[in-house]
Amino acid sequence: MMDLVHSHYARFGVLTQRLLAALSDAGLTSSALRGGDLAALDQFHVGGRRASEDLAHLLSPRAGTKILDLGSGIGGSARLLAEEYACEVVGLDLTEVYCQTARALGTETGLQWSLHFLCGNALSLPFADNSFDAVWSQDVAVNVADKNALYREIVRVLKPGGKLAINDIVASGSGALQFPLPWAPEPRWNHLLDADALRHCILDRGLQQVAWQDKTQEAKIWDTASRRQALPTSEQTGRVPPPMGAQQTFGPDFKLMTDNLLQALEDGVIEVVQAVFRKP
Ligand SMILES: C[S@@+](CC[C@H](N)C(=O)[O-])C[C@H]1O[C@@H](n2cnc3c(N)ncnc32)[C@H](O)[C@@H]1O
């Protein structure tokens, strides 16, 4: 199953040069690049950078907080947490090309001293018990069949008093999903639980709920806006960047994936939640 997940995300090949070229075409030079300039291309989850900002607000980490970003993609949220909250972030992801790109973009944004990216499996974390003040994860559980093992590992590496912050898609209603979806080209790659099952899976590992929010409406608004390519204005140039985005990562069938995602949101087949839990 891990090979399936890796082959899905790595299918469009080496990313770094392609993304740096897209940034350059958008008039964004590395010398003054800020995290927000990358928002159109570095947030591989429903809700985009706005969702990351909301989740960061929900977690509200103090400066110096040591955070594990589990399934960190190309590091968009890790950079947000380092830049806006002065956190030290370790990103771990199964997909090696994403880790390489995350390192390169960390350097481009001058945040490399606060960031460390490594390739690994969330089900077998290469960290000692009680290593992190917080674990952060966005749209990764959708790919993990063994949720008990996932949250057991998260609890193990969290310090007592440490927090888990999640942004996740959950199943809802009885309608059928259409594939491909951004996280799953076929049904066998898809591992959605409904909201109650996800919450209980986490609580059953011994974490306590601090916050739980339904973000489905925000996700619908974001999805509609991203279709109209209402991309954020660059902090550096004041211009709207050209339509660079996840299509540069996922390839030409990204539009079909997002069409299916939007339809599932509209049909009430999926919902989006953000939550924070605490290890006693
Ligand atoms: C939808 S992307 C989200 C990436 C990132 N969290 C973000 O929001 O930009 C899912 C990510 O989870 C990673 N992933 C899936 N299963 C994983 C596992 N078992 N261990 C580590 N990473 C995993 C994938 O490689 C991919 O980068």
Side-chain angles (χ1 to χ4, degrees):
M1 182 47 83
M2 293 308 152
D3 288 349
L4 283 181
V5 172
H6 180 272
S7 64
H8 171 58
Y9 288 108
R11 59 207 265 277
F12 208 43
V14 176
L15 293 178
T16 312
Q17 291 314 319
R18 190 161 53 241
L19 296 188
L20 292 179
L23 289 168
S24 165
D25 290 349
L28 300 169
T29 57
S30 58
S31 54
L33 202 58
R34 288 180 48 81
D37 289 328
L38 302 172
L41 58 78
D42 71 358
Q43 306 281 322
F44 295 174
H45 50 261
V46 179
R49 185 167 166 103
R50 175 64 194 271
S52 306
E53 288 167 350
D54 288 352
L55 187 62
H57 183 68
L58 208 57
L59 180 64
S60 289
R62 285 199 291 266
T65 298
K66 190 173 174 194
I67 301 182
L68 171 62
D69 182 356
L70 206 54
S72 43
I74 63 169
S77 297
R79 286 186 292 279
L80 184 151
L81 290 164
E83 191 173 50
E84 308 283 334
Y85 288 83
C87 294
E88 257 182 69
V89 189
V90 175
L92 178 134
D93 201 285
L94 204 57
T95 306
E96 177 63 38
V97 288
Y98 284 4
C99 297
Q100 289 164 3
T101 303
R103 287 181 205 116
L105 293 178
T107 304
E108 293 291 322
T109 48
L111 295 166
Q112 68 271 31
W113 312 118
S114 310
L115 301 171
H116 182 65
F117 292 99
L118 70 159
C119 189
N121 185 351
L123 301 184
S124 175
L125 293 173
F127 309 114
D129 298 357
N130 308 325
S131 294
F132 293 94
D133 301 307
V135 175
W136 167 286
S137 190
Q138 294 173 287
D139 289 10
V140 178
V142 288
N143 283 133
V144 178
D146 191 349
K147 301 270 194 295
N148 286 344
L150 174 67
Y151 296 111
R152 199 180 306 120
E153 271 298 80
I154 289 173
V155 171
R156 183 182 69 73
V157 301
L158 269 178
K159 294 177 185 172
K163 290 182 178 161
L164 166 65
I166 59 166
N167 180 109
D168 269 314
I169 298 168
V170 292
S172 165
S174 54
L177 285 168
Q178 299 300 318
F179 292 86
L181 286 159
W183 67 92
E186 300 166 23
R188 67 189 165 128
W189 314 50
N190 174 53
H191 299 290
L192 294 187
L193 295 179
D194 67 30
D196 272 354
L198 179 69
R199 188 192 347 235
H200 281 109
C201 185
I202 296 171
L203 295 176
D204 288 350
R205 303 281 79 70
L207 295 181
Q208 300 165 337
Q209 185 176 310
V210 176
W212 182 277
Q213 296 185 352
D214 184 332
K215 304 294 276 187
T216 310
Q217 281 312 318
E218 286 89 336
K220 286 183 187 172
I221 293 164
W222 161 80
D223 215 334
T224 307
S226 64
R227 268 151 198 284
R228 290 193 194 119
Q229 295 181 341
L231 301 175
T233 304
S234 158
E235 291 173 21
Q236 191 184 144
T237 65
R239 299 206 309 260
V240 175
M244 56 184 182
Q247 71 271 16
Q248 259 118 357
T249 316
F250 281 87
D253 51 354
F254 181 68
K255 182 174 181 314
L256 178 59
M257 295 180 189
T258 49
D259 282 349
N260 289 336
L261 170 65
L262 179 64
Q263 197 60 52
L265 278 168
E266 288 301 329
D267 293 348
V269 180
I270 56 172
E271 295 173 346
V272 179
V273 296
Q274 288 194 344
V276 173
F277 296 86
R278 182 179 175 280
K279 178 172 170 179

